[in-house]
Amino acid sequence: MKYINENEIFNIIKQAENYNEKEVIEILDKAKKLNRLSLKETAILLSVKEKELLNEIFNSAKYIKNKIYGKRVVLFAPLYISNYCVNHCVYCGFNCTNKETKRKALNIEEIKEQTLQLLKRGHMRILLVTGEGLDNNEKYINYLCDAIKAIYSVEFKGLKIKRININCAPLTKEHFQKLKDCGIGTYQLFQETYHEETYRKVHLKGPKSDADLRISALDKAFSVGIDDVGIGILFGLYDYKFEILAMLQHIEYLEKNYGVGPHTISVPRMEAAEGSDFASNPPCPPSDDDFRKIVAILRLAVPYTGLILSTRESAESRNELIDLGISQISAESCTSPGGYSDNDKSSAQFEISDKRSLDEIVDFLMTKDYTPSFCAACYRKGRTGDVFMHIAKPGNIKNKCEINSILTLKEYLMNFATKNTKEQGEIFIKKSLSEMDDETKEITLNLLKKIENGEKDIFV
Ligand code: SAM
Ligand code: SF4
């Protein structure tokens, strides 16, 4: 596979087994200074088995998360607009051989209706998701662009969706340009597995079966100026140690060539999917303990990159993983097109584990002293790509997040929260203000007043 040197990775994994405690502590000290880790250093952390050292890893991950992002956790919802797909990925319910799934591509009115449903719950950030291809490429890109414009056009209580990220099939340069012109936030594309033989075994039909075409899609995105890209591994397909090191090789490649790594990393674990026996019995499922390690080590290895966790994980697991470095979570998700107003979920991609409402998740985050955030200020202020990284790498982005997250929380409480969450939220905001330095507190108080007086969508 392009950019990936498998032999190097296997050698590094083998050598890392001879680690000693001193090395581990030194690596954690380096990470705590917010430096990205090398493949070798990351492999050593991945080899750690001793309980005490593992706890050191978890504590370091918490420290780094707080240092870079502060208390905020960004909330979003996926919006599935079409489950037609030309590929046969053996793990996915949308795969083209699955005759059980009801196929559906939402029309523009239906997309607006779904957006309204999400806005009514209080969602301000959407991840648009589709299967690959409708009839032909031209029609596919026009459909995506029309969908994006439709989503941005919907208004509820004077509020609109603030940012649309998108997870869709690789496009041509020309089509990426069209997507950029529509105002997308992050372009997400998961390589699923960086292990070539496994990749071939699980992608049987369609354009996605070409691993190099997929991995080089991000180059095309960068070439037209889409500089917030999201990457990910579908955990369960192959050995997680290999996958993480290979993903780091990919990141090194992006940094070398574009001066900036991925904006986000997603960590989906394979879930059961109707129409896929494979998904119920993945070959290399990481245990819950492995998964905690994966999240914490990713936070240490690439400290400045957002880590996204979806509702594929259970509520209990998500509650724990947020402490270890997750910075964005989806909430009240549905993976079937039309699912936000439709009770028929027979066209879903995979099963959801965390079924809590957005309001319950907002409330829960606050009880853990995290600030639920609906902010999209960076993207709207042009803080993307290396501009964002220059602020994030030394740990300065949290100064903005601290203010913006409180402002968006206030807006949520005023417009969408249940009585109990509203009460808890007001107490939480008071407490957060009391923890701010004088200057930040004054700016935040002034902006909060404007929101109370009816101004909408304020950010710094
Ligand atoms: N069709 C596009 C693609 O494959 O890149 C984008 C949408 S696809 C629905 C988004 C992601 O869903 C895939 O990249 C894959 O990682 C994930 N996925 C597919 N089947 C899954 C399953 N059974 N459990 C968890 N995640 C799954
Ligand atoms: Fe299609 Fe994406 Fe599912 Fe593969 S993962 S079958 S490309 S929707």
Side-chain angles (χ1 to χ4, degrees), residues 85 87 89 91-92 94-95 130-132 208 349:
C85 192
N87 292 312
C89 310
Y91 46 80
C92 177
F94 292 172
N95 84 72
T130 70
E132 178 158 353
K208 190 165 168 182
Q349 188 198 12

Side-chain angles (χ1 to χ4, degrees), residues 80 82 84-85 87 89-94 128-133 140 167-170 187-192 203 208 214 232-235 237 268-274 276 279-280 310 312 349-351:
Y80 281 69
S82 164
Y84 281 94
C85 192
N87 292 312
C89 310
V90 298
Y91 46 80
C92 177
F94 292 172
L128 193 157
V129 187
T130 70
E132 178 158 353
Y140 184 56
N167 185 322
C168 71
Y187 172 65
Q188 265 189 9
L189 188 70
F190 307 157
Q191 190 62 21
E192 321 292 12
H203 300 108
K208 190 165 168 182
R214 189 159 177 97
I233 293 161
L234 182 54
F235 286 101
L237 291 174
R269 256 204 293 191
M270 199 176 300
E271 282 295 324
E274 248 180 50
S276 162
S280 304
S310 76
R312 292 170 180 92
Q349 188 198 12
F350 51 81
E351 288 172 19

Side-chain angles (χ1 to χ4, degrees), residues 73-119:
V73 174
V74 169
L75 291 159
F76 71 95
L79 175 49
Y80 281 69
I81 59 168
S82 164
N83 62 4
Y84 281 94
C85 192
V86 294
N87 292 312
H88 183 187
C89 310
V90 298
Y91 46 80
C92 177
F94 292 172
N95 84 72
C96 62
T97 67
N98 182 3
K99 305 283 177 244
E100 303 299 310
T101 265
K102 271 197 211 155
R103 301 287 168 176
K104 205 161 164 185
L106 301 182
N107 64 33
I108 294 302
E109 282 318 307
E110 288 167 330
I111 291 171
K112 285 185 183 169
E113 170 55 27
Q114 291 296 294
T115 308
L116 185 63
Q117 292 299 332
L118 289 172
L119 275 172

